Amino acid sequence: MDARYKSRDIERRSLDVDGLKRSFLEWLVYSVGKDARAATRRDWFHTVALAVRDRVVDRWMDTTRSYYHEDAKRVYYLSLEFLIGRLLTNSLSNLGIMDECRQALDRLGLSMEDVVDAEPDAALGNGGLGRLAACFLDSMASQGLPGYGYGIRYEFGLFEQRFENGWQVEYPEQWLQFGNPWEFARPEVLYPVQFYGRVEEFRDSVGERAYRWVDADRVLAMAYDTPVVGYGGDTINTLRLWSARATRDFNFGHFNDGAYMKAVEQKILSENLSRVLYPNDATETGKELRLKQEYFFTSASLQDILRRYLQHHTSFDNLPNKAAIQLNDTHPAIGIAELMRLLVDQHALRWDNAWEITRATFAYTNHTLLPEALEAWPVRMIERVLPRHMQIIYEINAKFLNRTKAKAAGDNARLSRLSLIDERGERRVRMGNLAFLGSHKVNGVSALHTDLMKQTVFNDFHEEFPDRINNKTNGITPRRWLKQANPALSELITTRIGQGWISDLSQISALREKADDVVFREEFRRAKRKNKKRLAAYIARQTGEEVLVDSIFDVQVKRMHEYKRQLLNVLHTIALYNEMRDNPTVSWVPVTKIFAGKAAPSYHMAKLIIKLINDVAKVVNHDPSVHDNLKVVLLPNYNVTAAEIIIPAADLSEQISTAGMEASGTGNMKLALNGALTIGTLDGANVEIREHVGPDNIFIFGMTADEVNDLRATGGFNPREVIASNPSLKRALDMISTGAFSPDDRNRYHPIVQALTDGGDHFLVTADFADYCQAQDAAMQLYRDQEEWTRKAILNTANMGWFSSDRTVNEYAEEVWDVHPVHPNHEGEGYR
Ligand code: 475
C-alpha cells in the first residue's frame, strides 16, 4: 500500500472495541516497548493516549486544511497560561469512544480509572485566567471556530503543593518527566527571538529614516502542537506552545576551552526562558525573566501568524480580515509594539498604515482591577531588553498624546493618566494603557467588572474611546465540567432531556419543570450522594480524615488570596464550632468545611491563612464534644484534576470575595452547574448568577461594590467597634490571637489579627461577618428540608445554561473577532 495512505489505515482509525484493543497492544509493544506483563500503569496510559491520538490526527489535518483552503479568518488566543489538566478522558469523551475504550481495557484486564489516573495534570496556569483559556479552546473547537491557542511550553508547571506540619511547601511539577504523548514536536517550526542589543538609524531606499535592531542576543522558539478535540470530533484545532532553544551558532561554533564552557552556560541560560511558570496569581513580580517570557512567546506567535497570512496574501491590508488576535490580559501586550516593529521595520509599511492594521487586529481582555496585578515595566528595563520596542512605545505615546492635547486643553492631570508612561517615581510603561490603545475592542469578564473598568482604571480611556469597552461575561465548558466530571448527574439529565445540552447548554433549562418532580429530586440527590461518597474517599486518602457523607459539603476552592476571604469562612467555622460546643444537646445540621487552594510562594499572608486552616482543622476534628457535626479539611495540591472530584460533590459554594474585587469567578459557575447552592457577595459574575438562578435560590449577603467604594472613600471604618459589638466574632478572633489553635506558637497569627483590627481590615472581613453568618444559618436551616434544598439545587443546574463558554466564545466571535464556523471536509483521501 502507498505509505502516504498508511494513516488512513482502518486499524488506526477504528473506533470499535476490537480495533481499540488491537491498537493498544500494538502501541504497547512497538512504541512503548513493553509487553503486557511488564507494563506499568504509566505505560498503559502512554499506550492508550497514543492510540487515541491516532484517531485524532486525520481529522486534525482535515481541519487545518479546510481553514487553509477557505482562507478562513482565524482567531489567535495569546495567553501566557493554559490550565488544561488531563486530556485522556477529555479526548475520549469528545470523540465519543469512552465506553468502547473502557471495554477494550476491560478485555485486557485493566481498569479505565487506573489508566486515567496515571496521566499528569497539565498545570500550565495559575487559576481563573489560565483555566478560562482552556475552556475557550474547548468551546472554539466544539463550535467549529478556527481558533488557535498560543502560549509557552513550560517545563515546570504550577508547583506541587504539600503540607508539612500544616505549612505549604512547594515542589517542582515535572509533568513532562515521562514524556507527553499528546504533543507533536515541530523542530522545523523555529523562529528567532531577540533581546538586548541596540538600535541603529539609517536611510532606507527612498531616503526615509528607518531603524534596525542590531547586536542582539538570539534565542529560538520551537513549536510543540497539541490537538484540541472539539465535541463530536469534527473540528480539531491546535494549541501551539513555544519552547526556547539555543541558536545553532552554539553547535557549530569553534571555541577554546574557556569559551566553550561559557557557551554551554549561555545555551542553558537561554533555554531557561521556557523553564518555569511564574506562580503568582493576580500579582505582578516585575522580574526581567518574566518580561522576556512575555516577549518570547508573543514574538514567536506573531511571526507564525504573519507567515501563515503571507501564504495567501502579498499586502498586509487584509490582515485584520484574516486574523483576530486576542490578548489574554496584558501579558502578551508587548505584541502591539512587536507587530508595529515587524510591519514597519521588516516589511517597510508606513507608520500610520501599520498602526491602523495593528489596532484592527488586536483585542484585549482585562481580568483584574487589583492594582498590584496591573503590569507596569520599568522603562529602563524595556530600554535594555527590548530597545526598539521602547522607541516604538514612545512613538505611539507621542502621537496619541499630541492628538489628545488638542482636545484636553491644559488638563495635564488627565494627560498624565492617559500616558503610556507612568512618570510618578521610577518611570514605567503601563501595559494596560498600551493594550487599550493598541486594540479595537477591550473587554471585562462580567457585567459588574466591565462597569468598574469604565469607572476606575480605564475611566479616561473610556471617555476618549466610548465604544471600545465591552463586556464578555465568562463561561465554562459543559463538556469537562458536567459531562466528564459528573457522569452520575450527566446521565440522569440525559435520560430526561436527551443529550442536546452537551453542545447547547441552554437546553438544560428543560430541567426546570423537573424541580417539582419528587422522583427526579430523589434521583438528583442520589447522584449528588454518589459524588459525595467519591469525594469522601478522596478526602480520606489525601488527609486521613473521615467525613460524614450526609453533612453539608461546604466548599471553598480557589487560589488563596485575602480578597477571596478564606478568612471570613474560617471565622465562621470557629464561631460555629463554639456554638456547637456551647449547645451540645441541639440537633445540629452536620457541616463539612472543605477548602483547597494554593498560595503564591512569596505571599506570606496567604501561606499563614493556609496554616491557620490546618491548625483549626486539627483542633476541631479532634474535639469529641462536637461529635461529627463539624469537620474541616484543607485538601492539598488543588488543580484541575482535584476540581473534577470536588466540584460535583459540593452542596454549598463559597463565593465570598469583597464586593468589587473578583473580576468574574468561574468556579462559581462550575459549582452552580453541578447543583451547589451559592453563598456569595454581589461580586463578579455572582450578580449575573443571581439573575439567572433567581434570588430565592442563592444566599446573597454583605456589602455591595458601591457600598464598599463609599465606605473606603469616606475613610473606612473601625473594625475594633464592629468586633466589640459582635460577641461571636470577638470570641473567634480572641481564640486566634491567644493561641487556641497554635498552642505551640501563641503569637503565630498575630499578623492576621493585626490585619483585621489595627490594620483597618482592608478586605472588610469583620464588616461582612454578621451578615455572612446569617446567610450561613439560612443555608443550614434549608438543608434540613431535603426536598426544598434539592428543588433549589435542581433550579441552579437548570438555570446555568447561559454560563456555557460556548455562549461566551460566540459573543467574542460575533462582536469582537468576526470569525465564523468552518466545517472541515473529512471526505478526502488522506494526505494531499
Ligand atoms: C480573576 N491572573 C477571576 C478569571 O477571567 C476571573 C494575573 C497576573 C499574573 C498571573 N496571573 C494573573 C489573574 O489575574 C486571574 O486569574 N484573574 C482571574 O481571571 C478569568 O474569573 O475573577 O481573578
Side-chain angles (χ1 to χ4, degrees), residues 20-194:
L20 280 167
K21 186 186 150 197
R22 272 200 303 277
S23 103
F24 291 163
L25 288 171
E26 194 162 310
W27 270 108
L28 181 69
V29 174
Y30 295 105
S31 294
V32 177
K34 290 269 184 91
D35 68 16
R37 245 184 285 177
T40 64
R41 285 200 293 183
R42 188 178 299 117
D43 293 329
W44 279 113
F45 159 67
H46 280 265
T47 298
V48 175
L50 290 166
V52 170
R53 199 180 76 165
D54 279 349
R55 274 98 185 138
V56 167
V57 171
D58 290 307
R59 288 166 167 264
W60 188 18
M61 292 179 180
D62 291 343
T63 305
T64 309
R65 204 181 299 121
S66 296
Y67 296 164
Y68 179 85
H69 281 310
E70 295 192 17
D71 188 21
K73 180 169 182 182
R74 281 103 156 165
V75 51
Y76 298 109
Y77 200 79
L78 266 57
S79 178
L80 213 39
E81 306 190 4
F82 287 93
L83 231 188
I84 47 193
R86 288 176 173 166
L87 284 178
L88 181 53
T89 311
N90 190 249
S91 310
L92 290 170
S93 170
N94 279 4
L95 288 172
I97 54 170
M98 195 71 125
D99 288 342
E100 289 78 0
C101 181
R102 185 184 295 278
Q103 287 175 44
L105 289 172
D106 206 51
R107 289 190 195 174
L108 292 162
L110 296 160
S111 109
M112 176 89 158
E113 282 66 35
D114 287 350
V115 173
V116 163
D117 273 337
E119 179 171 6
D121 181 285
L124 308 185
N126 273 288
L129 170 151
R131 183 55 231 178
L132 186 76
C135 282
F136 282 5
L137 290 181
D138 180 84
S139 281
M140 290 191 287
S142 295
Q143 302 196 100
L145 289 170
Y148 291 71
Y150 274 114
I152 293 180
R153 179 182 179 270
Y154 300 106
E155 188 176 327
F156 299 98
L158 186 61
F159 65 86
E160 182 196 334
Q161 176 197 55
R162 294 190 206 160
F163 299 136
E164 294 180 4
N165 200 9
W167 294 98
Q168 168 175 297
V169 178
E170 301 91 25
Y171 288 83
E173 171 55 80
Q174 305 193 52
W175 72 297
L176 291 173
Q177 199 173 17
F178 300 98
N180 173 5
W182 302 114
E183 70 185 7
F184 289 81
R186 308 287 191 207
E188 77 289 359
V189 183
L190 218 49
Y191 296 98
V193 177
Q194 307 199 108

Side-chain angles (χ1 to χ4, degrees), residues 192 218-220 245-252 267 270-271:
R218 246 175 197 226
V219 182
L220 296 173
R245 288 296 120 99
T247 53
R248 301 208 302 180
D249 311 349
F250 163 75
N251 294 325
F252 295 130
K267 171 180 162 70
S270 58
E271 296 186 350

Side-chain angles (χ1 to χ4, degrees), residues 318-338:
N318 252 318
L319 184 66
N321 301 321
K322 293 297 167 185
I325 304 178
Q326 190 68 33
L327 302 172
N328 199 21
D329 217 294
T330 55
H331 314 152
I334 192 69
I336 288 162
E338 173 70 354

Side-chain angles (χ1 to χ4, degrees), residues 81 126-130 132 278 280-284 290 329 331 365-368 373 375 445 474 563-564 661-666:
E81 306 190 4
N126 273 288
L129 170 151
L132 186 76
Y278 274 88
N280 308 302
D281 176 273
T283 43
E284 194 263 309
R290 167 77 173 195
D329 217 294
H331 314 152
T365 304
N366 172 280
H367 292 270
T368 176
E375 288 189 297
V445 290
N474 284 166
Y563 86 81
K564 294 178 188 279
M661 302 195 77
E662 187 70 270
S664 165
T666 45

Side-chain angles (χ1 to χ4, degrees), residues 285-430:
T285 54
K287 291 277 189 307
E288 181 169 312
L289 181 63
R290 167 77 173 195
L291 172 64
K292 291 173 74 176
Q293 285 186 335
E294 295 185 351
Y295 178 64
F296 166 75
F297 100 97
T298 304
S299 172
S301 307
L302 287 174
Q303 293 181 63
D304 200 37
I305 291 165
L306 293 190
R307 177 204 45 86
R308 192 174 293 118
Y309 172 81
L310 290 173
Q311 291 176 340
H312 280 280
H313 303 267
T314 47
S315 131
F316 283 98
D317 292 342
N318 252 318
L319 184 66
N321 301 321
K322 293 297 167 185
I325 304 178
Q326 190 68 33
L327 302 172
N328 199 21
D329 217 294
T330 55
H331 314 152
I334 192 69
I336 288 162
E338 173 70 354
L339 185 58
M340 287 299 288
R341 186 185 72 86
L342 292 170
L343 295 179
V344 172
D345 292 2
Q346 305 214 322
H347 296 280
L349 267 67
R350 306 300 304 264
W351 180 280
D352 290 345
N353 186 213
W355 182 243
E356 206 179 308
I357 292 169
T358 297
R359 242 182 18 77
T361 304
F362 281 104
Y364 155 56
T365 304
N366 172 280
H367 292 270
T368 176
L369 302 174
L370 300 184
E372 66 269 30
L374 300 177
E375 288 189 297
W377 293 106
V379 164
R380 294 195 27 192
M381 191 189 289
I382 299 198
E383 259 169 0
R384 195 158 42 76
V385 180
L386 303 169
R388 178 62 182 133
H389 297 78
M390 196 59 241
Q391 288 185 336
I392 290 170
I393 289 167
Y394 279 138
E395 184 75 18
I396 295 171
N397 201 34
K399 286 192 187 309
F400 168 58
L401 291 182
N402 273 333
R403 215 163 6 91
T404 315
K405 224 175 260 166
K407 290 184 290 178
D411 189 347
N412 286 330
R414 180 180 162 81
L415 281 176
S416 68
R417 288 194 303 267
L418 285 168
S419 174
L420 299 190
I421 313 292
D422 185 348
E423 310 273 357
R424 303 164 304 176
E426 183 184 14
R427 299 175 73 233
R428 286 166 184 272
V429 178
R430 294 165 167 150

